Amino acid sequence: MPAYLDHASTTPLHPVAREALLAAIDDGWADPARLYREGRRARMLLDAARETVAGVLGARAPEISFTASGTAAAHLALLGTAAGRRRAGGVVMVSAVEHSSVLHAAQRHEGDGGEVVTIGVDGLGRVDPAAFATALDDRPDTAVAALQHANHEVGTVQPVAEVARLLHERGVPLVTDAAMTVGRVPVSLAELGADVLTASAHKFGGPPGVGFLVVRTGTRWAGPQPADEREYGRVPGFPNVPAVVAAAAALAVRATEIEAEARQLAAWSRRLRERLPVLVEDVELLGPDSTDLAVRLPHVVAFSCLYVAGEALLGELDRAGIAVSSGSSCTSDTLTPSHVLVAMGALTHGNLRVSFGRDSTEADVDALLAALPPVVRAVRERAGAAGL
C-alpha cells in the first residue's frame, strides 16, 4: 500500500515487537502456571511483560491483566466494575461518544436489569465535566462512569482528570478506554485519575490479540464471567505469552518515540486541516482545531465532504493506493450512521478519517492531497451533485 493512513484502526507490528515475538515463541510457549523449567521460563517472561506495562503506565504489576483484545478488556472493565459495586446502585454512566465496545457493555448491563445514563458532548465531541456532576447529583445510585481518554473517530481528548475528580468526590469510580492514547501519547494513571483503564496492543505497534485491563488497587471489581485463577482472577483462559511479550516490548519502545514523533504528526495534521478546505469545496473539519495534546490527538484528522458517500470515497482512494477509513457513513454491517458524529451534530455522510503512524511519510500526505480533490469531484459528478 503506497500510502497507509489508517493507523488509528491498526498499525503495523513494530520491529522491536517482531523480534520479541519471535524470541518468545521459542522461549515462552509453555504454560506459565506450571512449575517445571519451561513453565517457569514462560512465567518469567509473562511477569517481566507485566512489570514493563505497569512501569510505562505508572501502575503496579498486580493491577495489570492481559486480555485477548481491547474490546474484551473494555467489556470486563465496565461490567466488572458495575458488578463489584452492585450494592452502590444499578446505574452505569457513559459519554455519548464512547467506543462501541463500551456502549455494547453498557447495553448488556441494561439488558440484565441495570440502567444507563448517557452524557452528551459539544460540537467538538468533548464532554463538559459539569454534566457528569449534574447527572451524578440526579442519580446518586450510580455504580460506575465511563469516559474515554480520546475519541477514536475525531481525535478529541477528553477532560478525564477533571471528571475523575468530580466522580471521586461522590465515591464513584471511573473506567477509561485509552486505546487511542496508550502508546501514542504519554499516559499516566496518576495524572488521569482513572480507577480502571483499558488499551489495545495493535493500536501502537504490538500484535493483535492483546488487550490491557488495569484495575487500580482498592477498586471494587467482580468478574462478570465464570471464575478463573489466571490473570489475578480477572481474565479467563490461557495467556498468549509470546504476544504479550511483544506487546510489552512495543509499548516500552513507543514510550521513547512518541514525544519526538508527535511534533511531526501534528505538523502533518495541521497541514491537512489547512489545505483541505482550500483544495476541496464543501468540507467540514471535525474535532478541535488545535495542536495541543491536551485537546486533540496529534495523528488524527477527520472531515466530511458534502454530497458524497464515505464508502465511495474510500473505494476511489483505495484504487489510487491510499488507505483511509470512514467511521461515519452508513456501514454495510449496521446501516446506521456514526453515533459519534450524531452526538456531535456533525455531518454523518462523506466522512473520512486520516490517521498517521510511525511509518508515515511526507509523501503520504502529498499523495492524499493530490488524490482527494479529483476523487471528490468524480464521485460528486457520478452522483449528480457537482456544482451544488
Side-chain angles (χ1 to χ4, degrees):
M1 181 65 64
Y4 179 74
L5 296 173
D6 193 23
H7 291 267
S9 292
T10 192
T11 200
L13 194 65
H14 196 289
V16 170
R18 183 183 299 275
E19 293 177 7
L21 178 64
L22 293 176
I25 286 174
D26 291 332
D27 294 336
W29 56 268
D31 186 346
R34 297 296 174 251
L35 297 179
Y36 42 75
R37 181 187 308 156
E38 292 81 3
R40 294 197 307 272
R41 184 182 298 121
R43 181 66 191 215
M44 289 175 61
L45 290 172
L46 185 62
D47 288 346
R50 202 184 312 276
E51 291 282 356
T52 296
V53 173
V56 173
L57 298 180
R60 297 173 60 246
E63 296 173 335
I64 309 290
S65 294
F66 298 110
T67 69
S69 66
T71 293
H75 292 170
L76 290 170
L78 192 68
L79 294 175
T81 310
R85 284 182 40 85
R86 188 177 295 109
R87 292 183 179 180
V91 174
V92 163
M93 199 169 288
V94 298
S95 83
V97 293
E98 295 298 308
H99 189 270
S100 59
S101 60
V102 175
L103 297 182
H104 290 160
Q107 291 170 2
R108 171 59 63 88
H109 173 77
E110 190 173 37
D112 290 340
E115 295 182 65
V116 176
V117 172
T118 302
I119 307 299
V121 297
D122 62 18
L124 300 178
R126 187 175 171 92
V127 302
D128 180 356
F132 270 93
T134 299
L136 287 168
D137 290 339
D138 293 338
R139 297 306 304 262
D141 53 340
T142 298
V144 60
L147 177 62
Q148 60 189 191
H149 191 187
N151 186 258
H152 50 290
E153 289 191 28
V154 298
T156 302
V157 176
Q158 301 290 356
V160 174
E162 188 174 355
V163 170
R165 178 181 60 78
L166 293 172
L167 291 170
H168 294 161
E169 288 175 354
R170 295 160 174 79
V172 177
L174 175 65
V175 168
T176 296
D177 166 24
M180 286 297 293
T181 54
V182 167
R184 287 293 195 170
V185 297
V187 175
S188 166
L189 276 169
E191 293 178 5
L192 283 181
D195 301 281
V196 182
L197 181 139
T198 62
S200 184
H202 75 95
K203 299 287 189 180
F204 56 79
V210 179
F212 302 156
L213 171 65
V214 187
V215 181
R216 301 300 300 274
T217 301
T219 303
R220 291 186 177 275
W221 189 93
Q225 298 176 340
D228 194 302
E229 69 277 7
R230 297 181 187 270
E231 290 301 302
Y232 296 94
R234 302 186 193 111
V235 183
F238 194 100
N240 186 343
V241 175
V244 166
V245 169
L251 184 62
V253 71
R254 288 296 296 155
T256 69
E257 297 175 342
I258 53 180
E259 183 177 355
E261 179 185 275
R263 292 192 292 270
Q264 180 62 77
L265 302 190
W268 289 338
S269 294
R270 170 58 61 186
R271 183 182 171 202
L272 280 185
R273 292 182 71 88
E274 290 175 348
R275 295 298 296 160
L276 285 173
V278 176
L279 297 174
V280 182
E281 294 183 355
D282 298 316
V283 166
E284 178 185 5
L285 296 171
L286 303 171
D289 184 17
S290 174
T291 57
D292 185 350
L293 296 186
V295 177
R296 186 173 67 82
L297 293 176
H299 65 292
V300 176
V301 177
F303 57 94
S304 293
C305 302
L306 273 68
Y307 317 123
V308 293
E311 288 86 349
L313 292 178
L314 289 183
E316 292 296 331
L317 289 172
D318 180 45
R319 280 186 280 275
I322 300 171
V324 296
S325 67
S326 176
S328 65
S329 55
C330 296
T331 67
S332 59
D333 291 332
T334 63
L335 297 180
T336 57
S338 160
H339 68 279
V340 171
L341 299 186
V342 169
M344 293 169 56
L347 181 69
T348 60
H349 284 75
N351 171 260
L352 293 179
R353 181 189 66 184
V354 177
S355 49
F356 303 110
R358 64 179 302 274
D359 298 322
S360 299
T361 66
E362 187 81 27
D364 295 337
V365 183
D366 294 339
L368 177 64
L369 289 173
L372 189 61
V375 161
V376 173
R377 285 196 299 271
V379 173
R380 284 174 175 168
E381 287 174 358
R382 287 200 300 270
L388 291 180

Coordinates of all heavy atoms in Angstrom, one line a residue, residues 269-334:
S269 N -0.9 16.9 10.4 CA -2.3 17.1 10.7 C -2.7 18.5 10.4 O -3.7 18.8 9.8 CB -2.6 16.7 12.1 OG -2.5 15.3 12.4
R270 N -1.8 19.5 10.9 CA -2.1 20.9 10.7 C -2.1 21.2 9.2 O -3.0 21.9 8.7 CB -1.0 21.7 11.4 CG -1.0 23.2 11.1 CD -2.3 23.9 11.3 NE -2.7 23.8 12.8 CZ -3.9 24.2 13.3 NH1 -4.8 24.7 12.5 NH2 -4.1 24.0 14.5
R271 N -1.2 20.6 8.5 CA -1.2 20.8 7.0 C -2.4 20.4 6.3 O -3.0 21.1 5.5 CB 0.0 20.1 6.4 CG 0.2 20.4 4.9 CD 1.4 19.6 4.3 NE 1.4 19.7 2.9 CZ 2.0 18.9 2.1 NH1 2.7 17.9 2.6 NH2 2.0 19.1 0.8
L272 N -2.9 19.2 6.7 CA -4.2 18.7 6.1 C -5.3 19.6 6.5 O -6.2 20.0 5.6 CB -4.5 17.3 6.7 CG -3.7 16.1 6.0 CD1 -4.3 14.8 6.6 CD2 -3.9 16.1 4.5
R273 N -5.4 20.0 7.7 CA -6.6 20.9 8.1 C -6.5 22.2 7.4 O -7.6 22.8 7.2 CB -6.6 21.0 9.7 CG -6.9 19.7 10.4 CD -6.9 19.9 11.9 NE -8.1 20.7 12.3 CZ -9.3 20.2 12.6 NH1 -9.5 18.9 12.5 NH2 -10.3 21.0 13.0
E274 N -5.3 22.7 7.1 CA -5.2 24.0 6.4 C -5.5 23.8 4.9 O -6.1 24.7 4.3 CB -3.8 24.6 6.6 CG -3.6 25.0 8.0 CD -2.1 25.5 8.2 OE1 -1.3 25.2 7.3 OE2 -1.8 26.1 9.3
R275 N -5.0 22.7 4.3 CA -5.1 22.6 2.9 C -6.5 22.1 2.4 O -6.9 22.4 1.3 CB -4.0 21.7 2.4 CG -2.6 22.3 2.6 CD -2.4 23.6 1.8 NE -2.6 23.4 0.3 CZ -2.9 24.3 -0.6 NH1 -3.1 25.5 -0.2 NH2 -2.9 24.0 -1.8
L276 N -7.1 21.2 3.1 CA -8.3 20.5 2.7 C -9.4 21.5 2.3 O -10.0 21.4 1.2 CB -8.8 19.5 3.7 CG -8.0 18.2 3.8 CD1 -8.5 17.4 5.0 CD2 -8.1 17.4 2.6
P277 N -9.7 22.5 3.1 CA -10.8 23.5 2.7 C -10.4 24.3 1.5 O -11.3 24.8 0.8 CB -10.9 24.4 3.9 CG -10.4 23.6 5.1 CD -9.2 22.8 4.5
V278 N -9.1 24.4 1.2 CA -8.7 25.2 0.0 C -8.8 24.3 -1.2 O -9.2 24.8 -2.3 CB -7.2 25.6 0.2 CG1 -6.7 26.3 -1.1 CG2 -7.1 26.6 1.4
L279 N -8.5 23.0 -1.1 CA -8.4 22.1 -2.3 C -9.8 21.5 -2.6 O -10.0 21.1 -3.8 CB -7.4 21.0 -2.0 CG -6.0 21.5 -1.9 CD1 -5.1 20.3 -1.5 CD2 -5.5 22.1 -3.1
V280 N -10.6 21.3 -1.6 CA -11.9 20.6 -1.8 C -13.0 21.5 -1.3 O -13.0 22.0 -0.2 CB -11.9 19.3 -1.0 CG1 -13.2 18.5 -1.3 CG2 -10.7 18.4 -1.4
E281 N -14.0 21.7 -2.2 CA -15.2 22.5 -1.8 C -16.1 21.8 -0.8 O -16.2 20.5 -0.8 CB -16.0 22.9 -3.0 CG -15.3 23.9 -4.0 CD -16.1 24.3 -5.1 OE1 -17.3 23.8 -5.2 OE2 -15.7 25.1 -5.9
D282 N -16.7 22.5 0.1 CA -17.7 22.0 1.0 C -17.2 20.9 1.8 O -17.7 19.7 1.9 CB -18.9 21.5 0.2 CG -19.6 22.6 -0.6 OD1 -19.8 23.6 0.0 OD2 -20.0 22.4 -1.7
V283 N -16.1 21.2 2.6 CA -15.5 20.3 3.5 C -15.8 20.8 4.9 O -15.6 22.0 5.2 CB -14.0 20.1 3.3 CG1 -13.3 19.5 4.5 CG2 -13.7 19.3 2.0
E284 N -16.2 19.9 5.8 CA -16.4 20.2 7.2 C -15.3 19.5 8.0 O -15.3 18.3 8.1 CB -17.8 19.8 7.7 CG -18.0 20.1 9.2 CD -19.3 19.6 9.7 OE1 -20.0 18.9 8.9 OE2 -19.7 19.8 10.9
L285 N -14.4 20.3 8.7 CA -13.4 19.7 9.5 C -14.0 19.3 10.9 O -14.9 20.1 11.4 CB -12.2 20.7 9.7 CG -11.4 21.0 8.5 CD1 -10.5 22.2 8.8 CD2 -10.7 19.8 8.0
L286 N -13.6 18.2 11.4 CA -14.3 17.7 12.6 C -13.3 17.7 13.8 O -12.1 17.4 13.6 CB -14.8 16.2 12.4 CG -15.8 16.1 11.2 CD1 -16.0 14.6 11.0 CD2 -17.1 16.8 11.5
G287 N -13.8 17.9 15.0 CA -12.9 17.9 16.1 C -12.2 19.2 16.3 O -12.4 20.1 15.5
P288 N -11.5 19.4 17.4 CA -10.9 20.6 17.8 C -9.8 21.0 16.8 O -9.1 20.2 16.2 CB -10.2 20.4 19.1 CG -10.9 19.2 19.7 CD -11.3 18.3 18.5
D289 N -9.7 22.3 16.5 CA -8.6 22.8 15.6 C -7.5 23.3 16.5 O -7.3 24.5 16.8 CB -9.2 24.0 14.8 CG -8.1 24.5 13.8 OD1 -7.2 23.8 13.5 OD2 -8.3 25.7 13.3
S290 N -6.7 22.3 16.9 CA -5.6 22.6 17.9 C -4.5 21.6 17.8 O -4.8 20.4 17.4 CB -6.2 22.5 19.3 OG -5.2 22.7 20.3
T291 N -3.3 22.0 18.1 CA -2.2 21.0 18.1 C -1.8 20.7 19.6 O -0.8 20.0 19.8 CB -0.9 21.6 17.4 OG1 -0.6 22.9 18.0 CG2 -1.2 21.8 15.9
D292 N -2.6 21.2 20.5 CA -2.3 20.9 21.9 C -2.7 19.5 22.2 O -3.9 19.1 22.0 CB -3.2 21.9 22.8 CG -2.9 21.8 24.3 OD1 -2.2 20.8 24.7 OD2 -3.4 22.6 25.0
L293 N -1.8 18.7 22.7 CA -2.1 17.3 23.0 C -3.1 17.1 24.1 O -3.7 16.0 24.3 CB -0.8 16.5 23.4 CG 0.3 16.5 22.3 CD1 1.4 15.6 22.8 CD2 -0.3 15.9 21.0
A294 N -3.4 18.1 24.9 CA -4.4 18.1 25.9 C -5.8 18.3 25.3 O -6.8 18.1 26.0 CB -4.2 19.1 27.0
V295 N -5.8 18.6 24.0 CA -7.1 18.9 23.4 C -7.4 18.0 22.2 O -8.5 17.5 22.1 CB -7.1 20.4 22.8 CG1 -8.4 20.7 22.1 CG2 -6.9 21.4 24.0
R296 N -6.4 17.6 21.4 CA -6.6 16.8 20.3 C -5.4 15.9 20.0 O -4.3 16.3 20.2 CB -6.9 17.6 19.0 CG -7.3 16.8 17.8 CD -7.7 17.7 16.6 NE -6.6 18.4 16.1 CZ -5.7 18.0 15.2 NH1 -5.8 16.7 14.8 NH2 -4.8 18.8 14.8
L297 N -5.6 14.6 19.6 CA -4.5 13.7 19.3 C -3.8 14.3 18.1 O -4.3 14.8 17.2 CB -5.1 12.3 19.0 CG -5.7 11.6 20.1 CD1 -6.3 10.3 19.6 CD2 -4.7 11.3 21.2
P298 N -2.4 14.1 18.1 CA -1.6 14.6 17.0 C -1.7 13.9 15.7 O -1.4 14.5 14.6 CB -0.2 14.5 17.5 CG -0.2 13.3 18.4 CD -1.6 13.4 19.1
H299 N -2.2 12.7 15.7 CA -2.2 11.9 14.5 C -3.5 11.6 13.8 O -3.5 10.9 12.8 CB -1.5 10.5 14.8 CG -2.3 9.6 15.7 ND1 -2.6 10.0 17.0 CD2 -3.0 8.5 15.5 CE1 -3.3 9.0 17.6 NE2 -3.6 8.1 16.7
V300 N -4.6 12.3 14.2 CA -5.9 12.0 13.7 C -6.5 13.3 13.1 O -6.5 14.3 13.7 CB -6.8 11.5 14.7 CG1 -8.3 11.3 14.2 CG2 -6.3 10.1 15.3
V301 N -6.9 13.2 11.8 CA -7.7 14.3 11.2 C -8.9 13.7 10.6 O -8.9 12.7 9.8 CB -6.8 14.9 10.0 CG1 -7.6 16.0 9.3 CG2 -5.5 15.5 10.6
A302 N -10.1 14.2 11.0 CA -11.3 13.8 10.4 C -12.1 14.9 9.8 O -12.0 16.0 10.2 CB -12.2 13.2 11.6
F303 N -12.8 14.6 8.7 CA -13.5 15.6 8.0 C -14.6 15.0 7.2 O -14.6 13.8 6.9 CB -12.6 16.4 7.0 CG -11.8 15.6 6.0 CD1 -12.3 15.4 4.8 CD2 -10.6 15.0 6.4 CE1 -11.6 14.6 3.8 CE2 -9.9 14.2 5.5 CZ -10.4 14.0 4.2
S304 N -15.6 15.8 6.8 CA -16.7 15.3 6.0 C -16.8 16.1 4.7 O -16.6 17.3 4.7 CB -18.0 15.4 6.8 OG -18.1 14.6 7.9
C305 N -17.1 15.4 3.6 CA -17.3 16.1 2.3 C -18.8 16.0 2.0 O -19.4 14.9 2.0 CB -16.5 15.4 1.3 SG -14.8 15.3 1.5
L306 N -19.4 17.2 1.7 CA -20.8 17.2 1.4 C -21.1 16.5 0.1 O -20.2 16.5 -0.8 CB -21.3 18.6 1.3 CG -21.8 19.3 2.7 CD1 -20.6 19.5 3.6 CD2 -22.5 20.6 2.4
Y307 N -22.3 16.0 0.0 CA -22.8 15.4 -1.3 C -22.2 14.1 -1.8 O -22.3 13.8 -3.0 CB -22.8 16.5 -2.4 CG -23.2 17.9 -2.0 CD1 -22.3 18.9 -2.2 CD2 -24.4 18.1 -1.4 CE1 -22.7 20.2 -1.8 CE2 -24.8 19.4 -1.1 CZ -23.9 20.4 -1.2 OH -24.3 21.7 -0.8
V308 N -21.4 13.5 -0.9 CA -20.8 12.2 -1.3 C -20.9 11.2 -0.2 O -21.1 11.6 1.0 CB -19.3 12.4 -1.7 CG1 -19.1 13.2 -2.9 CG2 -18.5 13.0 -0.5
A309 N -20.8 9.9 -0.5 CA -20.9 8.9 0.5 C -19.4 8.5 0.9 O -18.6 8.4 0.0 CB -21.6 7.6 0.0
G310 N -19.2 8.2 2.1 CA -17.9 7.9 2.6 C -17.3 6.6 1.9 O -16.1 6.6 1.5
E311 N -18.2 5.6 1.7 CA -17.7 4.4 1.1 C -17.2 4.6 -0.4 O -16.3 4.0 -0.8 CB -18.8 3.3 1.0 CG -19.1 2.8 2.4 CD -20.1 3.6 3.2 OE1 -20.4 4.7 2.7 OE2 -20.6 3.1 4.2
A312 N -17.9 5.5 -1.1 CA -17.5 5.8 -2.5 C -16.1 6.5 -2.5 O -15.2 6.1 -3.3 CB -18.5 6.8 -3.1
L313 N -15.9 7.4 -1.5 CA -14.5 8.0 -1.4 C -13.5 7.0 -1.1 O -12.4 7.0 -1.6 CB -14.6 9.1 -0.4 CG -15.4 10.3 -0.7 CD1 -15.4 11.3 0.5 CD2 -14.9 11.0 -2.0
L314 N -13.8 6.1 -0.1 CA -12.9 5.0 0.3 C -12.5 4.2 -0.9 O -11.3 3.9 -1.1 CB -13.5 4.1 1.3 CG -13.6 4.7 2.7 CD1 -14.2 3.6 3.7 CD2 -12.3 5.2 3.3
G315 N -13.4 3.8 -1.7 CA -13.1 2.9 -2.9 C -12.2 3.6 -3.9 O -11.3 3.0 -4.4
E316 N -12.5 4.9 -4.2 CA -11.7 5.6 -5.1 C -10.3 5.9 -4.6 O -9.3 5.8 -5.4 CB -12.4 7.0 -5.5 CG -13.7 6.9 -6.2 CD -13.5 6.2 -7.6 OE1 -12.4 6.4 -8.2 OE2 -14.4 5.6 -8.1
L317 N -10.2 6.2 -3.4 CA -8.8 6.4 -2.8 C -8.1 5.1 -2.7 O -6.8 5.1 -2.9 CB -9.0 7.0 -1.4 CG -9.4 8.5 -1.3 CD1 -9.6 8.9 0.1 CD2 -8.4 9.4 -2.0
D318 N -8.8 4.0 -2.5 CA -8.1 2.7 -2.5 C -7.5 2.4 -3.8 O -6.4 1.9 -4.0 CB -9.1 1.6 -2.0 CG -8.5 0.2 -2.0 OD1 -7.3 0.1 -1.5 OD2 -9.1 -0.7 -2.5
R319 N -8.3 2.7 -4.9 CA -7.8 2.5 -6.2 C -6.6 3.4 -6.5 O -5.7 3.0 -7.4 CB -8.9 2.7 -7.3 CG -9.8 1.5 -7.4 CD -10.8 1.7 -8.5 NE -11.9 2.5 -8.1 CZ -13.0 2.1 -7.4 NH1 -13.1 0.8 -7.1 NH2 -14.0 2.9 -7.1
A320 N -6.5 4.5 -5.8 CA -5.4 5.4 -6.0 C -4.2 5.0 -5.1 O -3.2 5.7 -5.1 CB -5.8 6.8 -5.7
G321 N -4.3 3.9 -4.3 CA -3.3 3.5 -3.5 C -3.2 4.1 -2.2 O -2.1 4.2 -1.5
I322 N -4.3 4.7 -1.7 CA -4.3 5.4 -0.4 C -5.4 4.7 0.5 O -6.6 4.6 0.1 CB -4.7 6.9 -0.6 CG1 -3.6 7.5 -1.5 CG2 -4.8 7.6 0.7 CD1 -4.0 8.9 -1.9
A323 N -5.0 4.3 1.7 CA -5.9 3.7 2.7 C -6.2 4.7 3.8 O -5.3 5.1 4.5 CB -5.2 2.4 3.2
V324 N -7.5 5.0 3.9 CA -8.0 5.8 5.0 C -9.3 5.1 5.5 O -9.6 4.0 5.0 CB -8.3 7.2 4.6 CG1 -7.1 8.0 4.2 CG2 -9.4 7.2 3.4
S325 N -9.9 5.6 6.4 CA -11.2 5.0 6.9 C -12.3 5.9 6.9 O -12.1 7.2 6.9 CB -11.0 4.4 8.3 OG -10.8 5.4 9.3
S326 N -13.5 5.4 7.0 CA -14.7 6.2 7.2 C -15.5 5.6 8.3 O -16.0 4.5 8.2 CB -15.5 6.2 5.9 OG -16.8 6.9 6.0
G327 N -15.6 6.3 9.4 CA -16.3 5.8 10.5 C -17.7 6.5 10.7 O -18.3 6.4 11.8
S328 N -18.2 7.1 9.7 CA -19.4 7.9 9.9 C -20.6 7.5 9.0 O -21.7 7.6 9.5 CB -19.1 9.4 9.6 OG -18.7 9.6 8.3
S329 N -20.3 7.2 7.8 CA -21.5 7.0 6.9 C -22.0 5.6 7.2 O -21.4 4.8 7.9 CB -21.1 7.1 5.5 OG -20.0 6.3 5.2
C330 N -23.2 5.3 6.6 CA -23.9 4.0 6.9 C -22.9 2.9 6.5 O -22.4 2.9 5.4 CB -25.2 3.9 6.2 SG -26.4 5.1 6.7
T331 N -22.8 1.9 7.3 CA -21.9 0.8 7.0 C -22.7 -0.4 6.6 O -23.9 -0.5 6.8 CB -21.1 0.4 8.3 OG1 -22.0 -0.1 9.2 CG2 -20.3 1.6 8.9
S332 N -22.0 -1.3 5.9 CA -22.7 -2.4 5.3 C -23.1 -3.4 6.5 O -24.0 -4.2 6.3 CB -21.7 -3.2 4.4 OG -20.5 -3.6 5.0
D333 N -22.5 -3.3 7.6 CA -22.8 -4.2 8.7 C -24.0 -3.7 9.5 O -24.9 -4.5 9.9 CB -21.6 -4.3 9.7 CG -20.4 -5.0 9.1 OD1 -20.7 -5.9 8.2 OD2 -19.3 -4.8 9.5
T334 N -24.1 -2.4 9.8 CA -25.1 -1.9 10.7 C -26.2 -1.0 10.0 O -27.3 -0.8 10.5 CB -24.5 -1.1 11.9 OG1 -23.9 0.0 11.3 CG2 -23.5 -2.0 12.6

